[in-house]
Amino acid sequence: MSAEWIWRNGEFVKWDEATVHVSAHALHYGSSVFEGIRAYSTPAGAAVFRLREHSERLMQGARIMRIDHDNTAETLDAAILETVRRNSHDSCYIRPIIFRGAGALGLEGRNNTATETVILTFEWGRYLGAEAIEQGVDVQISSFRRMAPDTHMALVKAGGNYVNSQFVSMEAHDNGFEEGIALDINGYVSEGAGENIFVVLNGVVYTPGAWSSILMGITRDSALTILADMGVEVRFQPVAREMLYMAEEIFFTGTAAEVTPVKSVDRIPIGCGGRGPITKAVQSRFFAITSGEAPDEYGWLTHVCPS
C-alpha cells in the first residue's frame, strides 16, 4: 500500500519521507479527523466521488474537535485532485487527515501543538472482499456497544472514535466473521465497525439515525437518494436486534465497503442467504454512476482531469 507522492501541509513529499514525530499529539490521544474517499475509473478518467461533501465534513469535524487549521474545502478539493493526478491513479482510495502534531503532551493540546494536514492516495480494492459485492458477508452482533451520545461525538470522523470500531472488528474476525455490528447504548442496532446499515423487512427499508450514535455516512446518503428515486419506502427509526434475523435483506454502505450485502447475522441466513433485489438495484445504480456508465445526474463525480 503506497504511492509516489503525499500532500503534506501544502507541499508534495515522497511517500517514505512523510514521517511524523513520535511525540505527535494524535498518536497519543487520537486528536485527528479524517475522511475516506474513493476515486473511480470512468471512460473520462479518474473521478472522485462526492469530493466536496467529504471536504466539508472534514471541516466540520475539525471544528467540533477544536483543531485549528488553515484549510478550506476549496483548497482541500484542489489538493486532493492534484495528489491523484501526481500519482497517476486510474482509481484509488483517498485519505485526507488533519491532526495535532508534535509538541507538549497533555490532554489539552490546543495551545501546545502544531496542526498538520496530509493527503494519502493509494490503490485499495473491495474492503470486505471482491466476492462480497455479490455473495455478501457473514457478520455477528458485537459484544461492544457504540458510544453513548454524551461520551463521544459519533457524528465526527475522529481518529479516537475508531478505537471502538477496532474492538468490534477484531472480535468479529477472531470469531470467524467478516464484520461486526455494534448495538447502541439502548440495545438497538447502530452500525457496522466501519459501515452504515440498511435492513429490508416486508419491502420497507429501515435504517438507524443519529440517535444511535452512527456516522452520517456520505455513501449512506447516496443510497438513500437512490432508494427515494426507486420509490422504496425508507423509515428512520430504532432498529431492534431481532429485526436483523427477520430481515429479507441487509446491506452495508460506506466509502470502503461501498454497497455490500449481508448474507448472515450470528450464523442466521438473511433472506435467501445472498444479495436481495433491493440491494442489487441500489448496487447497480451506484456502480453505474461511479463507473461513468450512467449519467451523473446527481453531480456526484469530480473528474481529476476535466475535459
Side-chain angles (χ1 to χ4, degrees):
M1 184 188 76
S2 67
E4 184 177 3
W5 296 102
I6 287 176
W7 188 94
R8 180 175 180 178
N9 302 325
E11 299 179 347
F12 284 97
V13 297
K14 292 287 189 177
W15 182 281
D16 292 338
E17 297 172 5
T19 57
V20 177
H21 196 271
V22 293
S23 69
H25 196 271
L27 177 63
H28 295 265
Y29 303 113
S31 52
S32 66
V33 290
F34 68 94
E35 286 294 317
I37 314 172
R38 279 193 187 268
Y40 287 91
S41 177
T42 77
V48 180
F49 183 69
R50 303 197 69 172
L51 174 61
R52 177 51 58 88
E53 290 91 336
H54 282 286
S55 293
E56 288 179 345
R57 188 172 66 179
L58 189 63
M59 299 295 97
Q60 293 167 356
R63 184 182 308 118
I64 293 169
M65 289 288 290
R66 283 82 155 177
I67 300 176
D68 292 330
H69 59 89
D70 296 326
N71 306 292
T72 65
E74 291 78 10
T75 58
L76 278 174
D77 287 352
I80 288 168
L81 293 172
E82 182 58 26
T83 306
V84 177
R85 275 193 293 267
R86 284 231 181 181
N87 286 320
S88 301
H89 292 299
D90 185 49
S91 63
C92 65
Y93 183 85
I94 304 162
R95 169 57 56 84
I97 182 168
I98 302 173
F99 62 95
R100 291 197 176 109
L105 294 183
L107 293 175
E108 171 60 273
R110 287 179 290 183
N111 300 321
N112 300 317
T113 58
T115 299
E116 299 206 41
T117 305
V118 172
I119 299 168
L120 309 162
T121 66
F122 50 89
E123 295 182 7
W124 196 15
R126 308 288 190 200
Y127 178 63
L128 295 173
E131 70 286 349
I133 294 296
E134 293 186 9
Q135 298 177 15
V137 291
D138 297 305
V139 307
Q140 71 162 81
I141 303 297
S142 179
S143 65
F144 294 96
R145 299 286 182 97
R146 282 286 283 173
M147 70 286 286
D150 55 353
T151 55
H152 285 240
M153 296 190 179
L155 295 184
V156 181
K157 200 170 176 68
N161 285 353
Y162 280 78
V163 173
N164 175 255
S165 296
Q166 290 177 62
F167 281 118
V168 172
S169 185
M170 289 189 291
E171 179 186 50
H173 292 161
D174 287 347
N175 290 336
F177 297 93
E178 280 95 359
E179 189 58 293
I181 295 173
L183 304 181
D184 67 17
I185 193 65
N186 295 309
Y188 292 105
V189 174
S190 178
E191 61 182 14
E195 309 87 10
N196 293 120
I197 190 168
F198 291 79
V199 180
V200 183
L201 183 61
N202 297 323
V204 176
V205 175
Y206 297 83
T207 192
W211 58 80
S212 286
S213 295
I214 70 167
L215 180 73
M216 302 291 277
I218 291 170
T219 308
R220 172 183 182 269
D221 178 73
S222 304
L224 290 170
T225 300
I226 292 169
L227 287 165
D229 283 355
M230 289 168 50
V232 176
E233 181 182 356
V234 177
R235 297 181 186 175
F236 302 91
Q237 66 176 63
V239 175
R241 174 177 181 163
E242 55 268 35
M243 288 176 68
L244 301 182
Y245 307 138
M246 298 162 58
E248 297 144 12
E249 304 176 47
I250 299 173
F251 61 92
F252 285 139
T253 62
T255 294
E258 298 170 295
V259 182
T260 299
V262 173
K263 64 181 176 181
S264 73
V265 179
D266 294 339
R267 299 189 172 88
I268 298 175
I270 303 304
C272 62
R275 179 175 57 180
I278 291 178
T279 304
K280 185 176 182 180
V282 173
Q283 280 185 332
S284 296
R285 186 69 180 144
F286 178 83
F287 289 121
I289 293 172
T290 56
S291 68
E293 295 176 5
D296 180 21
E297 59 184 304
Y298 308 118
W300 285 344
L301 300 179
T302 302
H303 289 277
V304 173
C305 295
S307 56

